[in-house]
Amino acid sequence: PAKKAIEKIAKTVIPNASRAVTAAEAPTIAPTRNAPDAATDTAMPWEGWFSSFLSSKIGNERFQSIRSKILFRPDDVHNLEQIPRPSTKIDLTEDGSLKAQFRYPSPGSQQGGRQPDEDEGTLYSDPFFVSYAPRDTARRYQDPAFPNPDLEQLKLDLLPQDDQRVIEAQEAFAAGPKSSPGNKGTFATGKSDYDTTNGLRASMSTNHEALEKSLDDFSPNHLPMPDWWNRQEEVVQWYKDNDLPVPLGATGHGLVPREGRIARW
C-alpha cells in the first residue's frame, strides 16, 4: 500500500514528460518542448525541496546562516556547477538592467566573425602555411650562429689579414652555414612538388638561402621620418645665419614637457 501511495503522489507531482514511461504510454505522452513555457520550466521540479522545507521550518535568516557555514561559496550564482545552466542569468550592472546568459543569444543566430585574409600572392595567402620564421624580421641576426653578414665582414676587414686565424675565419665565413641545407623537396615518401615556397613550407625542406630571401622581402620599408626631414635646408641655413655649428637633425623645443628635460638626479 505504501508503494502505491508513493507512486500516486509522484504521478501528481512529477510532470508526465519527466517521469519514466512504458512503451504503451509513450504515444500518449506530450513532449515538454511543445509547452509554451518549456524554455523556463524545469525538468527537475523536486530539486531544492529540502532547502525549501528546512527554510520554512527554521526561518530563512537562520537557514542562510547555517548554509553559509556549511557550503563552500554559498553565493555562487552557478552553484559551483562547471557548465552554467541555460536558464541562469547574471547581472552585469548594479541595477540589473543588463544581464548575461549562457549561449544567449545563441552563436548560430549571430553574425559570423570576419577573419582577414592575407594578401594574394604572398606566402601566407595559403591558410595552411603557419610558419613564422620567414617573416620574423624582429629577431633576425639574434642567433649567434647566423649573425649579420655585413657586420661580420666589417669585423674581419678590421683584423690583420695575414693572421692565420683571420684567414680561417674568412674562409668559414665565405663557405656560409653548413646546417639546414634543405632536402630539395625529397621526403621519406619520395619527391614532392607541393611546396611552391622554395622549401619554406616544411622545416625539413627549409634552407638558409630561401629564408634570407624571404626575410629580405618582409623587411620593413616604412620607417618614420623626422619632422624636420622636409625642411632640412631651412634648418641648416638658420644655424649658418646665427654662426652656429650645424648639429645632426633639428631640436624640438616645446615638444618635450619641462619635467622631461630635467635630469632625474
Side-chain angles (χ1 to χ4, degrees), residues 5-16:
I6 294 174
E7 291 178 354
K8 184 177 180 180
I9 296 175
K11 289 180 180 180
T12 58
V13 174
I14 302 177
N16 290 335

Side-chain angles (χ1 to χ4, degrees), residues 90-101:
I90 303 175
D91 294 333
L92 298 181
T93 56
E94 294 182 359
D95 58 357
S97 59
L98 186 62
K99 298 180 181 294
Q101 192 172 351

Side-chain angles (χ1 to χ4, degrees), residues 123 129 131 134 195 197-203 205-207 210-211 214:
L123 293 175
F129 189 87
S131 177
D195 190 357
T197 62
N198 296 324
L200 297 176
R201 180 70 179 270
S203 58
S205 59
T206 300
N207 56 84
L211 178 61
S214 177

Side-chain angles (χ1 to χ4, degrees), residues 135-200:
R135 63 175 176 183
D136 187 17
T137 58
R139 284 181 284 187
R140 191 178 188 180
Y141 304 136
Q142 288 188 3
D143 187 354
F146 307 102
N148 189 330
D150 297 334
L151 183 59
E152 292 302 308
Q153 184 63 56
L154 181 60
K155 292 178 181 179
L156 292 174
D157 292 342
L158 295 176
L159 296 175
Q161 300 300 306
D162 56 350
D163 192 306
Q164 184 62 29
R165 293 171 297 179
V166 176
I167 296 176
E168 294 176 357
Q170 289 178 338
E171 293 176 352
F173 176 76
K178 297 180 180 180
S179 62
S180 300
N183 60 5
K184 311 301 182 183
T186 303
F187 294 86
T189 55
K191 190 71 174 178
S192 175
D193 59 354
Y194 84 100
D195 190 357
T196 59
T197 62
N198 296 324
L200 297 176

Side-chain angles (χ1 to χ4, degrees), residues 31-61:
T32 306
R33 64 176 181 269
N34 291 340
D37 52 354
T40 57
D41 275 357
T42 177
M44 298 181 294
W46 59 86
E47 188 177 23
W49 69 269
F50 182 76
S51 300
S52 302
F53 172 77
L54 189 60
S55 177
S56 63
K57 296 301 181 183
I58 65 176
N60 185 63
E61 184 176 354

